[in-house]
Amino acid sequence: MTKTEKKSFHQSLAEWKLFIYNPTRGEFLGRTAKSWGLILLFYLVFYGFLAALFTFTMWAMLQTLNDEVPKYRDQIPSPGLMVFPKPLTALEYTYSMSKPPTYEKFTEDLKRFLEPYSVEEQKNLTNCPDGTPFKQSGPVYQACQFPVSLLQNCSGVNDTDFGYSKGQPCILVKMNRIIELMPDGSPQIICDAKDADIANILTYPDHGLIDLKYFPYYGKKRHVGYRQPLVAVQVIFESSATKKEVTVECKIGGSSNLKNEDDRDKFLGRVVFKVTVST
Amino acid sequence: MEPGKEKGTATPREQNQSPRPNLKPVTMNKNLRKKKKKDLEELKKEVDMDDHKLTLDELSAKYSVDLTRGHSLKDAQEILFINGPNSLTPPPSIPNWVKFCKQMFGGFSLLLWTGAFLCFLAYSINLRYNEKADKDNLYLGIVLSAVVLITGCFSYYQESKSSKIMESFKNMVPQQALVIRDGERMQINVKDVVLGDLVEVKGGDQVPADIRVISAQGCKVDNSSLTGESEPQSRCPDCTHENPLETRNIIFFSTNCVEGTARGIVISTGDNTVMGRIASLTSGLTMGQTPIAVEIEHFIHLITAVAVFLGVTFFFLSLILGYGWLDAVIFLIGIIVANVPEGLLATVTVCLTLTAKRMARKNCLVKNLEAVETLGSTSTICSDKTGTLTQNRMTVAHLWFDKTVYEADTSEEQTTGKTFPKSSDTWFYLARIAGLCNRADFKPHQESVPVAKRATTGDASESALLKFIEQSYNSVNEMREKNPKVAEIPFNSTNKYQMSIHLLEDNPQAHMLMMKGAPEKILDFCTSFMLNGQEFPMDEEMKVDFQNAYLELGGMGERVLGFCYLNLPSNFSKGFQFNTDELNFPMESLCFVGLISMIDPPRTAVPDAVGKCRNAGIKVIMVTGDHPITAKAIAKSVGIISEANETAEEMAARLNIPVSQLNTKSIKAIVVHGSELKDMDSNQLDHILKTYKEIVFARTSPQQKLIIVEGCQRLGAIVAVTGDGVNDSPALKKADIGIAMGITGSDVSKQAADMILLDDNFASIVTGVEEGRLIFDNLKKSIAYTLTSNIPEITPFLMFIILSIPLPLGTITILCIDLGTDMVPAISLAYESPESDIMKRLPRNPKTDNLVNHRLIGMAYGQIGMIQALAGFFTYFVILAENGFKPLDLLGIRLYWDDARLNDLEDSYGQQWTYEQRKVMEFTCQTSFFISIVIVQWADLIICKTRRNSLFKQGMKINWWFCAIPYSALIFIYDEGRKLIIRRRPGGWLEKETYY
């Protein structure tokens, strides 16, 4: 029994060898060199043609696109809300006041992020009139100044640590850019601590107002130098609080066309983050 | 002690002691169990019973039955209840739960179960480490399990449905038996016949059980289906031999009673009969896998290998690329799901069932679904002659009178219109002798049936003559009434003639002696011959002519009869008492009239069918028990030996040289005699099968059929075999496809066969071959269609991993394609009509022409599939680009894209997207990718309709598609108009009635 099996194993091995290279017929993997050449040539031509066709259709499609405005914007009718700096893990700002390395990354990020908002950087931008939308029709689009001073304590001008070293960290909240979005009313970012006994929340500019002059946004290509309006949130822990940990929820308010209560999208017009500060 | 003996001898004795054979079922079961272990030899010895040696009284006592009144009804009921019905147990079938499990865990199911298991695993791991676990994996796992369960149940249902069709076929023709119970004769169903029943059997009946004869009148039985003896054997109540198979007082279940009547006691029923034991033996022979089963298995292995290879490769690749374990597992599942054509096996089953139904409509009943396809790959057909190639009805083929050979019409429908000079006086005499000196008669009540198809009593040649005279001369009955028979000597094998004396209608006082028989015998009686109605003395020239004619007709394989007559002198006029035992009248110096030859003519459709087989590259071998000359004649007339070819003997005769000097290479046809075959070893047989293209085996026994089949199979042919007797069943089983005859076939052969020809017609086999090839082609098309979509299903995953783009096609969507949109079109391809070359190409080589070969894979995966994938990706990139993400910005975006905490991802235009917004976008893309696949699959479906023919030739009338277009336009115009009015007139009548 074993003998026959062994033989068949040898046979199959020999068959495989013969399949890989058959010297009598000059076949490699069941095909002669000519056969291989032909089939490879065929697929080369075939795929070459397909690639050319695909490239052409893609090129043609790209030609139909407008460089300034995407063809459809119905997938993002309402902006999401996001915080900055972005913690590595979930939206939890955990650091220790006494250990600068635990918050240095946050402050570094904030500094770098706010650099374009400095007066120096914005000197070429327009000083737009407050309270009204800054509608433009081109061909040259101007960007409005967003003076960093609006962020007051969180501007980084007076306090280069953005309050982190004092246990009063600043976190920037920004509304996602959407081309030609025009909010109704006077949009503002309203932030609340889940537990008011533990922390007080301050927002800059006052009441978290976002001026309408920063709308509408005209897109990366046209609206060069656009400064996204920011709202800074500073968490001030009550001195009585034993545990310096609070969950903060921010929402867009004051505007009827900006949604903030979507069941599925937890970031549509709102954002929740947690701040934990230890000594 | 052998169980057979136990059953045959011991049990009845026990029955003898106790009034009812209570022990019978127990021994039967025991017997059944042991039976399986036995081989043929042992079973042959087992035919051992002593009933034939018992006297009638002993017999009566043994079965406690009255030999004149039979069982009482109550007793019969009771025995039936104890012993069970008198029918052959079908071969043990695989239990249902095993079949179900095969469907559940066979084929791709195992792969999908693995996928489902991985899904659940991924979900549970996710659940353990992450409280808000993604439920997608759980759903996918559930869906996958459901898919396996549903397709498994569906396949199981299909299979049980088709086996039910087969069951119902078995009960299609219930046979009746004539039994005597309570002194009354009654017709009952054969399966209700019980042990000890008093049964009457008459000519033409199939014997309902093994019966010990207690009285018989001229009873002859045809045991050929049991023993292979073709001569009918007479039966009488006396025990003539020790061996029950040889003795004359036992008739066997399922043999035929040819003539006479017999009455007897049933001594065994159902599986205990001699036939039953042989039947269960043949069912024990294992069958090889059908070619399509091999093909499908090969295909499953191929696809599984590809799936596992790709899955594992990308599993490790994704690990190397830095994805987590969980992600890698999910990729693995996705790749497996994309690779496995989930709906395909169900499609295949449906295709086969459809074809089986179609075959049944064409008079081929297919028992095993897969057998349909086997028939298509058949490269050799070993066919019977009688009944299959021929009409199984002796018919007058030639006449020889007035020194001329005339041809008669032998076609089934009498349409050739061949004729001969009926005005000749010789014909008048010949017809009269043939009609009067003839014992055959039409059975009553057949006036509406065409003469050729009427049933007759009596010997085949006599019936042929009867029909011939009825058709071409006059009503035979009328003739017999006008010329009454006064004496006769019936035909027997020693005298080889038949004589009868009749009063003549034109001279009522005179007698005429008429004789027919073997020509040489007849000639010996004659001293004169008739030519154009005139008598001439017999001379040498006439004798030479006679010899030539006899040889010519005999050489055509026909059975020749000579006819002569004598007008008896006046001293033997009316009223003379003829004594046929001691001849008291002259029976010499007769006048020779002519010869009539008969043959079982080929069926009309057969030559055409054989020609089709030729074109289709199928070798047709005739295997018959008949005489070589007859076999050769039929073979020539149907084209099995084509006109251009001649056998060695013929060529030798033509060239006038001995056979040994011939150049054997140029000879393509041969007639092999059974006795030559007996002396051959397998090499010699192989040599014959290899070198000759046209082969006829004559005078073969059913056992030799098995040898021939095995020889063909050794040479790599796929062999179809026809057969009808019980002894054919080993050959039928051995063949790749056994074909039994629906009309003449015995139940056992039908059981052994894979296919049953309901009309016994060879042409139906050819139809079957065509259907078989068609199903193979259509399955190929179906598989090509289904496999093509695998590429657009799997490339999204590969691109997702390699290029790090958002996932273009989800796993659930893949299932939607495989089980939803691809399935019905794939089934529709089973209805595709054959292409023009279907019967013009060679049979496929089972070793190299696989169902799924590298050309099919290359075409489906390498070419069409690639185009489809490009279509999908194009749609995908268009949608993302038009919404803000340009193709080049997408490359490498995956990590950010799939990061649920990154809610301000910037697109090419500077807009920012939340995770949820991106996902909605992604699902839109997946939907569109799905739609793209569906649309390109439309085109694929249409191209898969043909493999060689142009679509426009294959009944694709494109212009018919456009007929509906104006009406579609009308729908648009009408509805836009309606909506316009509704907008213009809010609350108006139209809005009230039509706004929904």
Side-chain angles (χ1 to χ4, degrees):
Chain A
M1 196 64 203
T2 45
K3 203 174 176 183
T4 57
E5 267 174 17
K6 228 176 191 174
K7 196 183 162 197
S8 71
F9 172 74
H10 274 298
Q11 266 179 349
S12 66
L13 199 72
E15 268 171 30
W16 270 102
K17 271 184 189 161
L18 210 64
F19 174 70
I20 290 167
Y21 182 68
N22 186 339
T24 49
R25 287 196 246 170
E27 284 174 351
F28 175 68
L29 291 178
R31 283 178 188 276
T32 58
K34 190 183 165 200
S35 161
W36 271 116
L38 278 176
I39 195 80
L40 290 179
L41 184 72
F42 169 77
Y43 276 105
L44 193 74
V45 171
F46 186 79
Y47 289 141
F49 170 74
L50 280 191
L53 187 78
F54 186 70
T55 319
F56 172 73
T57 49
M58 289 293 274
W59 174 80
M61 180 270 289
L62 290 174
Q63 294 313 298
T64 67
L65 293 181
N66 185 335
D67 267 352
E68 294 160 350
V69 188
K71 202 164 186 171
Y72 302 108
R73 297 192 303 278
D74 51 349
Q75 294 284 336
I76 36 171
S78 187
L81 223 52
M82 192 54 189
V83 289
F84 194 91
K86 194 174 165 290
L88 271 180
T89 53
L91 295 184
E92 287 174 16
Y93 298 87
T94 308
Y95 73 97
S96 165
M97 280 191 291
S98 54
K99 294 177 193 152
T102 55
Y103 60 80
E104 255 168 9
K105 174 134 189 1
F106 295 134
T107 54
E108 293 292 315
D109 281 355
L110 280 171
K111 258 181 231 161
R112 206 176 322 114
F113 186 78
L114 288 178
E115 254 167 36
Y117 288 88
S118 67
V119 182
E120 188 68 12
E121 289 284 328
Q122 295 190 68
K123 66 182 180 208
N124 293 333
L125 302 187
T126 318
N127 190 0
C128 311
D130 288 357
T132 52
F134 187 57
K135 285 190 178 164
Q136 303 170 73
S137 52
V140 180
Y141 293 83
Q142 272 145 10
C144 296
Q145 288 177 345
F146 184 91
V148 78
S149 56
L150 282 177
L151 300 180
Q152 300 171 22
N153 289 351
C154 290
S155 63
V157 177
N158 303 325
D159 181 1
T160 52
D161 281 341
F162 298 94
Y164 280 80
S165 53
K166 286 177 243 155
Q168 298 172 338
C170 283
I171 289 145
L172 296 179
V173 176
K174 57 196 178 61
M175 202 166 86
N176 283 352
R177 291 190 297 261
I178 292 175
I179 291 174
E180 286 170 16
L181 176 79
M182 217 22 260
D184 300 337
S186 46
Q188 62 178 130
I189 307 273
I190 305 159
C191 292
D192 287 308
K194 278 266 168 71
D195 199 338
D197 295 342
I198 295 174
N200 226 343
I201 309 293
L202 296 178
T203 49
Y204 318 106
D206 295 335
H207 312 298
L209 278 169
I210 300 173
D211 203 290
L212 283 179
K213 67 183 174 186
Y214 301 109
F215 300 100
Y217 171 55
Y218 286 103
K220 198 157 87 179
K221 179 111 188 268
R222 289 183 291 181
H223 219 155
V224 183
Y226 176 77
R227 294 296 183 270
Q228 193 171 14
L230 302 171
V231 172
V233 177
Q234 188 164 31
V235 184
I236 314 276
F237 286 99
E238 297 285 342
S239 51
S240 57
T242 46
K243 202 181 172 202
K244 290 186 174 178
E245 182 182 297
V246 73
T247 304
V248 182
E249 188 181 18
C250 294
K251 275 186 180 176
I252 295 176
S255 177
S256 58
N257 67 343
L258 303 183
K259 294 195 199 100
N260 61 8
E261 299 249 332
D262 193 274
D263 283 340
R264 282 163 57 87
D265 195 344
K266 300 274 186 270
F267 291 87
L268 192 68
R270 58 181 159 158
V271 64
V272 178
F273 56 91
K274 198 168 153 190
V275 179
T276 313
V277 180
S278 55
T279 51
Chain B
M1 180 178 193
E2 286 178 14
K5 274 184 184 160
E6 191 177 46
K7 180 175 52 65
T9 59
T11 326
R13 267 183 210 128
E14 276 166 308
Q15 286 165 2
N16 210 1
Q17 285 143 16
S18 58
R20 287 273 74 86
N22 290 335
L23 276 162
K24 196 80 187 188
V26 182
T27 44
M28 242 178 74
N29 284 342
K30 200 171 164 189
N31 210 18
L32 262 176
R33 240 180 290 126
K34 291 203 176 174
K35 212 181 276 174
K36 289 180 188 167
K37 297 176 191 158
K38 308 222 153 286
D39 63 10
L40 184 77
E41 293 314 310
E42 268 178 287
L43 265 145
K44 270 184 180 165
K45 282 180 215 145
E46 230 186 273
V47 181
D48 192 9
M49 45 173 98
D50 64 351
D51 289 294
H52 55 293
K53 291 179 234 163
L54 302 178
T55 65
L56 293 188
D57 289 339
E58 283 169 337
L59 198 68
S60 167
K62 178 174 168 184
Y63 294 102
S64 52
V65 61
D66 186 317
L67 293 188
T68 51
R69 296 182 52 83
H71 279 308
S72 72
L73 285 174
K74 198 169 128 272
D75 286 352
Q77 282 280 317
E78 219 170 293
I79 304 172
L80 180 66
F81 178 73
I82 295 165
N83 285 356
N86 171 35
S87 58
L88 301 181
T89 346
S93 53
I94 308 159
N96 278 340
W97 67 270
V98 175
K99 281 190 200 163
F100 187 70
C101 286
K102 261 192 181 166
Q103 299 292 354
M104 279 296 157
F105 300 105
F108 294 127
S109 305
L110 217 56
L111 210 57
L112 291 179
W113 280 125
T114 318
F117 170 74
L118 286 176
C119 281
F120 291 128
L121 194 75
Y123 175 69
S124 50
I125 291 173
N126 215 340
L127 200 66
R128 217 190 134 101
Y129 295 105
N130 193 348
E131 286 189 5
K132 279 200 301 175
D134 198 2
K135 286 238 172 65
D136 283 0
N137 284 330
L138 180 67
Y139 296 147
L140 186 59
I142 292 170
V143 168
L144 279 180
S145 319
V147 164
V148 187
L149 285 173
I150 290 169
T151 51
C153 289
F154 180 73
S155 303
Y156 175 72
Y157 166 73
Q158 280 285 347
E159 199 184 281
S160 66
K161 200 167 92 179
S162 53
S163 62
K164 258 188 210 132
I165 296 176
M166 280 320 297
E167 288 296 311
S168 68
F169 168 72
K170 278 177 198 150
N171 305 326
M172 224 160 63
V173 201
Q175 284 172 338
Q176 300 280 308
L178 188 71
V179 298
I180 297 159
R181 284 179 184 170
D182 271 343
E184 276 181 51
R185 293 149 65 96
M186 48 173 85
Q187 288 276 352
I188 59 166
N189 210 321
V190 163
K191 68 177 199 291
D192 296 332
V193 170
V194 298
L195 207 65
D197 251 336
L198 187 58
V199 178
E200 257 193 34
V201 179
K202 59 180 191 313
D205 285 356
Q206 194 171 40
V207 179
D210 283 0
I211 291 168
R212 156 74 203 263
V213 178
I214 57 175
S215 69
Q217 288 87 39
C219 175
K220 277 189 174 176
V221 289
D222 175 9
N223 274 357
S224 58
S225 64
L226 184 66
T227 58
E229 295 162 289
S230 50
E231 284 295 304
Q233 294 161 332
S234 66
R235 284 293 179 259
C236 62
D238 313 313
C239 174
T240 56
H241 203 283
E242 278 286 304
N243 185 337
L245 283 175
E246 301 280 326
T247 185
R248 291 199 163 185
N249 61 354
I250 289 187
I251 52 180
F252 295 100
F253 176 49
S254 148
T255 58
N256 288 314
C257 179
V258 183
E259 54 182 76
T261 57
R263 181 182 275 217
I265 295 289
V266 173
I267 51 170
S268 52
T269 56
D271 289 328
N272 296 318
T273 57
V274 173
M275 189 68 88
R277 278 179 256 167
I278 298 181
S280 62
L281 168 81
T282 49
S283 67
L285 280 179
T286 49
M287 266 196 299
Q289 266 187 315
T290 54
I292 197 148
V294 174
E295 287 304 323
I296 287 172
E297 197 168 289
H298 168 249
F299 162 67
I300 287 174
H301 285 163
L302 201 78
I303 296 293
T304 311
V306 171
V308 170
F309 171 75
L310 273 181
V312 171
T313 312
F314 276 86
F315 178 76
F316 287 110
L317 189 69
S318 47
L319 285 181
I320 292 166
L321 287 176
Y323 293 96
W325 280 95
L326 211 61
D327 283 340
V329 168
I330 291 167
F331 298 159
L332 181 67
I333 298 165
I335 288 170
I336 289 177
V337 170
N339 249 307
V340 173
E342 285 85 5
L344 192 66
L345 290 191
T347 314
V348 170
T349 327
V350 173
C351 284
L352 289 170
T353 316
L354 272 176
T355 311
K357 277 187 193 158
R358 200 153 53 191
M359 298 274 275
R361 272 209 303 277
K362 291 183 178 171
N363 284 325
C364 302
L365 208 128
V366 181
K367 275 172 73 179
N368 305 322
L369 283 181
E370 289 89 354
V372 187
E373 190 283 320
T374 317
L375 199 55
S377 43
T378 300
S379 54
T380 304
I381 299 175
C382 293
S383 175
D384 262 352
K385 181 178 78 69
T386 313
T388 316
L389 296 171
T390 65
Q391 301 170 18
N392 197 17
R393 188 172 61 203
M394 272 293 175
T395 310
V396 171
H398 291 97
L399 304 109
W400 183 75
F401 58 87
D402 295 344
K403 296 193 174 183
T404 321
V405 173
Y406 299 106
E407 208 172 320
D409 188 350
T410 54
S411 66
E412 272 160 289
E413 309 300 333
Q414 302 290 327
T415 46
T416 57
K418 281 175 183 151
T419 186
F420 51 89
K422 289 181 181 170
S423 52
S424 166
D425 282 336
T426 321
W427 160 240
F428 167 75
Y429 277 95
L430 190 61
R432 216 188 223 186
I433 303 169
L436 293 175
C437 183
N438 189 333
R439 286 164 63 104
D441 209 344
F442 290 113
K443 287 188 180 167
H445 317 300
Q446 299 191 89
E447 286 73 18
S448 56
V449 185
V451 176
K453 300 240 163 84
R454 286 187 203 169
T456 56
T457 57
D459 161 66
S461 338
E462 296 211 305
S463 303
L465 288 172
L466 174 71
K467 287 177 186 170
F468 179 66
I469 300 301
E470 184 88 13
Q471 270 172 340
S472 50
Y473 184 68
N474 215 339
S475 163
V476 173
N477 276 342
E478 202 179 300
M479 193 156 77
R480 288 182 186 166
E481 269 164 34
K482 286 181 184 161
N483 304 283
K485 193 193 287 178
V486 286
E488 75 172 331
I489 302 174
F491 183 90
N492 68 48
S493 48
T494 41
N495 56 18
K496 288 189 173 162
Y497 66 83
Q498 178 181 3
M499 188 280 294
S500 61
I501 300 170
H502 297 259
L503 275 172
L504 288 181
E505 86 187 272
D506 36 9
N507 183 0
Q509 294 305 310
H511 282 117
M512 187 192 256
L513 186 151
M514 301 173 179
M515 189 187 272
K516 76 161 195 268
E520 66 278 9
K521 201 84 188 171
I522 293 297
L523 195 68
D524 291 345
F525 281 106
C526 296
T527 52
S528 62
F529 69 94
M530 182 171 274
L531 187 65
N532 298 326
Q534 302 290 314
E535 277 188 43
F536 294 95
M538 186 64 70
D539 50 21
E540 278 311 307
E541 188 198 340
M542 176 60 194
K543 280 188 180 167
V544 172
D545 285 345
F546 166 87
Q547 276 305 333
N548 289 342
Y550 185 24
L551 281 178
E552 186 187 342
L553 298 178
M556 287 188 273
E558 294 171 8
R559 188 186 293 174
V560 191
L561 288 177
F563 295 82
C564 59
Y565 78 100
L566 174 68
N567 281 316
L568 289 175
S570 53
N571 50 341
F572 298 101
S573 59
K574 190 175 183 182
F576 183 85
Q577 288 299 313
F578 292 97
N579 187 341
T580 52
D581 291 330
E582 292 160 30
L583 296 177
N584 59 353
F585 54 90
M587 202 169 74
E588 60 214 2
S589 317
L590 280 77
C591 174
F592 181 82
V593 181
L595 299 172
I596 295 180
S597 68
M598 281 146 291
I599 197 161
D600 181 8
R603 287 168 180 264
T604 323
V606 169
D608 196 33
V610 172
K612 270 191 180 176
C613 285
R614 274 274 150 68
N615 282 334
I618 300 167
K619 190 169 174 178
V620 183
I621 295 177
M622 183 197 274
V623 183
T624 175
D626 222 324
H627 200 269
I629 296 173
T630 319
K632 193 166 86 184
I634 292 294
K636 286 207 155 179
S637 63
V638 299
I640 287 179
I641 295 180
S642 51
E643 276 172 33
N645 285 335
E646 47 186 2
T647 62
E649 291 76 15
E650 282 174 325
M651 191 184 264
R654 183 168 56 84
L655 300 173
N656 217 354
I657 48 170
V659 174
S660 53
Q661 288 179 8
L662 282 173
N663 175 12
T664 45
K665 274 192 184 152
S666 60
I667 298 164
K668 292 279 171 255
I670 188 171
V671 178
V672 183
H673 197 277
S675 56
E676 299 168 35
L677 186 59
K678 209 188 289 170
D679 302 328
M680 279 180 203
D681 59 20
S682 55
N683 286 336
Q684 283 168 304
L685 180 62
D686 288 0
H687 176 74
I688 286 183
L689 292 173
K690 242 188 284 184
T691 41
Y692 295 97
K693 267 179 16 204
E694 299 169 346
I695 308 173
V696 172
F697 289 98
R699 282 265 179 251
T700 46
S701 66
Q703 284 80 0
Q704 287 177 324
K705 213 175 204 175
L706 186 64
I707 298 172
I708 296 166
V709 171
E710 283 172 341
C712 294
Q713 285 177 332
R714 258 199 311 277
L715 298 178
I718 290 193
V719 188
V721 173
T722 68
D724 44 20
V726 167
N727 267 316
D728 289 335
S729 45
L732 288 176
K733 278 261 165 182
K734 181 73 204 169
D736 296 286
I737 178 157
I739 302 167
M741 298 298 136
I743 301 170
T744 56
S746 61
D747 287 353
V748 178
S749 70
K750 285 182 195 170
Q751 215 170 47
D754 306 291
M755 204 177 94
I756 297 158
L757 292 185
L758 294 180
D759 59 357
D760 288 16
N761 192 349
F762 181 80
S764 305
I765 302 179
V766 181
T767 325
V769 170
E770 192 170 339
E771 283 292 334
R773 288 184 173 198
L774 181 62
I775 186 73
F776 198 75
D777 283 6
N778 286 353
L779 269 183
K780 264 192 175 186
K781 292 172 185 175
S782 196
I783 289 176
Y785 168 77
T786 319
L787 283 189
T788 308
S789 64
N790 269 7
I791 288 295
E793 281 165 14
I794 197 163
T795 40
F797 261 99
L798 307 190
M799 293 302 128
F800 171 65
I801 294 169
I802 297 169
L803 299 181
S804 278
I805 54 177
L807 185 63
L809 190 69
T811 318
I812 303 274
T813 341
I814 292 172
L815 287 177
C816 286
I817 295 172
D818 283 353
L819 296 168
T821 59
D822 265 9
M823 207 147 145
V824 178
I827 293 174
S828 80
L829 283 171
Y831 289 97
E832 200 51 50
S833 46
E835 287 180 59
S836 55
D837 68 332
I838 190 154
M839 287 304 274
K840 295 196 179 97
R841 53 184 141 99
L842 294 178
R844 73 184 185 94
N845 180 340
K847 286 206 186 91
T848 54
D849 289 352
N850 295 113
L851 183 65
V852 177
N853 49 31
H854 73 269
R855 296 181 296 274
L856 190 149
I857 294 281
M859 186 69 190
Y861 280 6
Q863 294 155 44
I864 308 294
M866 286 298 170
I867 300 178
Q868 293 196 338
L870 288 187
F873 277 104
F874 182 60
T875 321
Y876 166 86
F877 282 123
V878 165
I879 289 174
L880 281 173
E882 291 188 341
N883 279 286
F885 291 93
K886 290 189 179 168
L888 286 177
D889 294 321
L890 281 174
L891 304 181
I893 208 178
R894 192 197 85 93
L895 272 180
Y896 307 104
W897 184 278
D898 284 343
D899 182 354
R901 286 168 291 111
L902 186 73
N903 281 287
D904 52 356
L905 186 74
E906 200 175 308
D907 67 14
S908 314
Y909 291 90
Q911 308 188 89
Q912 290 168 316
W913 297 65
T914 67
Y915 176 73
E916 203 58 40
Q917 285 168 337
R918 295 196 300 268
K919 280 291 155 183
V920 171
M921 184 76 254
E922 184 183 318
F923 292 145
T924 311
C925 290
Q926 294 188 356
T927 313
S928 315
F929 204 109
F930 166 75
I931 300 289
S932 308
I933 296 181
V934 171
I935 289 172
V936 288
Q937 278 288 77
W938 292 351
D940 190 30
L941 178 67
I942 293 169
I943 64 156
C944 281
K945 276 168 74 76
T946 55
R947 295 191 298 147
R948 185 182 292 271
N949 283 4
S950 160
L951 273 175
F952 301 100
K953 206 175 160 192
Q954 189 75 2
M956 276 283 292
K957 311 276 188 305
I958 297 284
N959 46 338
W960 291 351
W961 290 32
F962 299 116
C963 296
I965 282 182
Y967 295 90
S968 315
L970 180 67
I971 291 176
F972 277 112
I973 295 163
Y974 165 73
D975 206 54
E976 279 302 313
R978 181 183 70 91
K979 284 180 278 202
L980 181 75
I981 295 171
I982 286 175
R983 285 197 304 272
R984 289 271 169 84
R985 294 165 183 267
W989 178 84
L990 201 63
E991 181 170 343
K992 275 184 200 149
E993 291 298 332
T994 65
Y995 179 73
Y996 51 88

